[in-house]
Amino acid sequence: MNDSGGSGQASLQFDGDQATVTVSYSGLAEEFQDGPFPHAQHIHIAGQGECPDASFDENGDGVVSTPEGQPAYGEVGTALTTEGETGADSALAVERFPGGPSADYERTFELNQDSADSVRHGTGVIVVHGLDPSTLSDEAAEADSPLDDSLPLAATAPALCGALSTSQMEATPEGGVDTGGGSTAGIENEWLIGLGGLTLVGAAGAGALAMRRRESGEQN
Ligand SMILES: [Cu+2]
């Protein structure tokens, strides 16, 4: 977004109430006040599940600011921090985000309910913030952030945006499988492997059903 010059990819995988989020990117702003440029990153939720285009630039300064883009990607639901809290309160915890031009982020944590619901409904959007002010119009480069007037607009404006689309993994069964009184822990772990594990469970279920039918046939 905003001609940031960066690109990247992100993923989110559910494991019960835990989510593992990965975000990797390169090509973003390198330095801010002689330190690594802090790139705030969030899961935005409850919007249209889309990334805004240039037409969202309401004030015409050439930058789609974070609030200007909100009708498309929604509000901050989760702060993808490197440590500590991940709630929306940490949205601007600049000390706890990856810094510098590139990052390879992975974290597993308990995703709050609002964020989990939004992701499952297809309106979760990953946004990485922070633009190099030298690439902006003079007006935008001088402007304060609409989120925090102690920061420049460039520090908080969106640089990368990607809408999460749901995959087959969402079809993972929520209940337990009756394993005949034994522990289901092993089975639950197999589900997490993904589609391969799911296929195995389905096949075993069908086999057991056929066997029961045959048994009841013999009894009759
Ligand atoms: Cu954000």
Side-chain angles (χ1 to χ4, degrees):
M1 283 187 61
N2 287 322
D3 296 320
S4 70
S7 61
Q9 45 192 311
S11 70
L12 185 154
Q13 184 169 338
F14 283 113
D15 172 359
D17 64 355
Q18 301 285 300
T20 297
V21 178
T22 68
V23 182
S24 60
Y25 57 78
S26 60
L28 291 188
E30 295 181 25
E31 277 196 0
F32 181 71
Q33 293 172 353
D34 295 327
F37 198 114
H39 290 286
Q41 52 183 14
H42 313 123
I43 305 174
H44 285 248
I45 63 167
Q48 296 298 313
E50 292 171 3
C51 293
D53 61 20
S55 72
F56 284 75
D57 174 17
E58 280 179 28
N59 66 0
D61 65 353
V63 172
V64 177
S65 69
T66 294
E68 284 173 336
Q70 192 162 318
Y73 47 55
E75 62 194 293
V76 174
T78 293
L80 296 172
T81 51
T82 52
E83 58 181 7
E85 300 285 314
T86 57
D89 287 350
S90 293
L92 287 176
V94 288
E95 309 278 294
R96 293 188 286 121
F97 290 111
S102 61
D104 239 333
Y105 170 89
E106 175 171 342
R107 190 172 178 193
T108 300
F109 56 94
E110 186 176 333
L111 196 60
N112 63 61
Q113 194 64 48
D114 287 348
S115 295
D117 289 348
S118 194
V119 168
R120 288 194 166 98
H121 292 146
T123 54
V125 181
I126 307 256
V127 181
V128 180
H129 301 258
L131 300 172
D132 180 347
S134 72
T135 65
L136 307 182
S137 68
D138 288 349
E139 179 192 354
E142 301 285 309
D144 290 338
S145 167
L147 304 180
D148 178 344
D149 62 15
S150 74
L151 294 170
L153 169 69
T156 63
L160 297 171
C161 178
L164 291 166
S165 58
T166 54
S167 76
Q168 298 273 358
M169 287 292 290
E170 201 183 25
T172 301
E174 285 176 9
V177 167
D178 181 1
T179 56
S183 167
T184 60
I187 298 287
E188 281 165 359
N189 285 336
E190 279 179 35
W191 290 351
L192 308 179
I193 299 168
L195 217 49
L198 244 172
T199 307
L200 271 177
V201 170
L209 190 63
M211 199 175 280
R212 271 202 297 277
R213 278 186 185 140
R214 199 157 55 234
E215 282 170 5
S216 65
E218 285 167 2
Q219 280 163 9
N220 292 338

